[in-house]
Amino acid sequence: MTSIYGGYVWYQSEDNIRCIDSDKQFIQRLPLLIIDAKSKRKTNSVKHLCGKYETVFNGVFQSIEEIGQQMTQLVTNQDIETSKAAKLYKTVNELFSMHHALSCATGISNESVQDIKRICHSYGMDKGFKVSANKRHRWVVVSMLNKLSGKCYDQGFIADFQRGLMSKGYASYLIETGHGGMQCEFY
């Protein structure tokens, strides 16, 4: 699942894209830090492996899709209240960890991603961590949910974390799920 200009879409390939029901309300607002992994994705080795082990990769991609569906259900689930912050925190971290491991199995991780993982670990932020990529670029998504409150960490901690990333050359952007995104009006 990804967000494009405020809409949410599922994509498996350039030819297989579908929109998520835009009427769904995002009950859980998940704060996420998007970190630019500063590296172009090399797809040749991934394509080679996909071709060689097609049935294995189909299973991996099916599992990644199921994780995305679980995340969508999680953020639209009214039964998880902010009073159940620990459950939300744990579920997001589990789903991100599984997604990351499966994505790494496809060959999209690299030294930059591992360096970011080490930095996140030094800040205690490596549990809700996953790598993502498209044909051209890699980035890392880190959950900024606080276990105790179910809300975003305080701005001071986030600023310090972002400075730590930037000191190693990694730009990062704080976002939150469920926002309308960019909208334009033409006159």
Side-chain angles (χ1 to χ4, degrees):
M1 179 175 74
T2 191
S3 174
I4 300 175
Y5 298 109
Y8 291 86
V9 296
W10 285 97
Y11 65 92
Q12 292 179 322
S13 69
E14 290 177 0
D15 301 324
N16 190 359
I17 300 172
R18 61 187 163 101
C19 292
I20 294 174
D21 182 358
S22 61
D23 293 333
K24 282 192 174 183
Q25 293 293 315
F26 279 73
I27 306 301
Q28 310 302 328
R29 303 259 182 197
L30 300 181
L32 303 170
L33 195 66
I34 309 301
I35 305 166
D36 184 348
K38 300 190 319 182
S39 61
K40 301 287 183 197
R41 180 175 173 207
K42 295 179 184 174
T43 58
N44 292 341
S45 62
V46 175
K47 283 182 184 178
H48 172 74
L49 288 173
C50 282
K52 188 174 180 179
Y53 302 105
E54 184 176 349
T55 57
V56 173
F57 270 79
N58 286 341
V60 170
F61 293 133
Q62 179 76 29
S63 294
I64 289 172
E65 181 178 352
E66 178 62 31
I67 290 168
Q69 291 172 1
Q70 292 288 323
M71 281 299 297
T72 300
Q73 290 173 5
L74 179 68
V75 297
T76 59
N77 187 346
Q78 291 179 322
D79 296 333
I80 299 177
E81 304 165 14
T82 53
S83 63
K84 299 177 184 172
K87 179 180 180 185
L88 181 62
Y89 172 86
K90 181 180 179 194
T91 304
V92 168
N93 288 348
E94 289 171 346
L95 291 171
F96 271 36
S97 293
M98 287 185 286
H99 186 284
H100 181 69
L102 290 166
S103 295
C104 287
T106 69
I108 69 167
S109 187
N110 66 4
E111 287 183 34
S112 293
V113 172
Q114 294 309 313
D115 190 34
I116 293 169
K117 179 89 169 165
R118 284 188 291 276
I119 296 167
C120 290
H121 178 74
S122 72
Y123 283 86
M125 299 304 297
D126 59 329
K127 298 212 181 339
F129 178 101
K130 71 183 190 101
V131 62
S132 287
N134 61 22
K135 282 187 173 182
R136 295 175 193 91
H137 199 77
R138 287 181 186 95
W139 58 92
V140 170
V141 181
V142 179
S143 169
M144 297 303 291
L145 273 179
N146 184 309
K147 183 178 183 176
L148 300 176
S149 69
K151 304 282 186 213
C152 190
Y153 280 88
D154 69 70
Q155 291 300 315
F157 174 79
I158 293 170
D160 187 43
F161 184 31
Q162 288 183 294
R163 278 191 296 275
L165 289 161
M166 187 53 81
S167 73
K168 300 293 185 180
Y170 300 109
S172 61
Y173 312 92
L174 185 64
I175 65 166
E176 189 174 71
T177 60
H179 283 285
M182 184 176 81
Q183 298 177 0
C184 297
E185 288 186 33
F186 296 96
Y187 297 94

